[in-house]
Amino acid sequence: QGQLVESGGGLVQAGGSLRLSCAASGRTFSTYAMGWFRQAPGKEREFVAAITWSGGATGYRNSVKDRFAISRDNSKNTVFLQMNSLKPDDTAVYYCAVDRRWRRPDIATNEGEYDSWGQGTQVTVSS
């Protein structure tokens, strides 16, 4: 299955930026799409962003478009989420995950399409 470890979370004021990283080990993830999800207190986990295995396509939830950017470095088995113009509504635990389908050509937004998950990193945005 491998292991995913997220880092880069923290406390930031509204309007600030954070860069999350997800380092994968134990298996090769370079031929699988990667995604970021988040879960706020009392809410269900929701899709944030995903990137295809090649990095050729990305997808975002509407509320983070133009503020967040997902990228990957397959040579380092790492995926990133650059978060700018953060808002208090972005406060959540952020999880990275691996798509279960080998070389999926499009973006999966349903968490059921992902089968490996990290432990999460807390992002708190103060107003």
Side-chain angles (χ1 to χ4, degrees):
Q1 282 275 344
Q3 183 179 15
L4 303 175
V5 178
E6 301 97 335
S7 62
L11 173 63
V12 64
Q13 288 188 332
S17 298
L18 285 173
R19 189 190 194 208
L20 305 184
S21 299
C22 173
S25 62
R27 58 176 276 200
T28 299
F29 293 92
S30 60
T31 51
Y32 293 85
M34 301 286 291
W36 285 96
F37 289 74
R38 68 187 182 186
Q39 187 168 22
K43 295 186 177 180
E44 294 186 350
R45 189 155 56 185
E46 63 184 18
F47 170 79
V48 176
I51 185 167
T52 53
W53 66 275
S54 65
T58 57
Y60 301 89
R61 70 178 300 103
N62 286 337
S63 63
V64 307
K65 281 181 181 177
D66 301 323
R67 298 189 298 123
F68 290 11
I70 188 171
S71 61
R72 67 189 298 162
D73 183 342
N74 283 343
S75 69
K76 298 181 179 178
N77 248 6
T78 302
V79 64
F80 305 96
L81 185 67
Q82 178 66 43
M83 305 187 296
N84 300 324
S85 301
L86 283 161
K87 305 175 180 180
D89 284 348
D90 295 318
T91 295
V93 177
Y94 283 71
Y95 301 89
C96 68
V98 183
D99 192 326
R100 66 174 65 248
R101 179 178 170 184
W102 185 75
R103 291 193 175 184
R104 181 191 299 272
D106 53 0
I107 296 296
T109 62
N110 188 324
E111 66 174 278
E113 297 296 334
Y114 295 81
D115 64 358
S116 294
W117 294 82
Q119 83 291 346
T121 185
Q122 176 70 47
V123 172
T124 302
V125 184
S126 63
S127 57

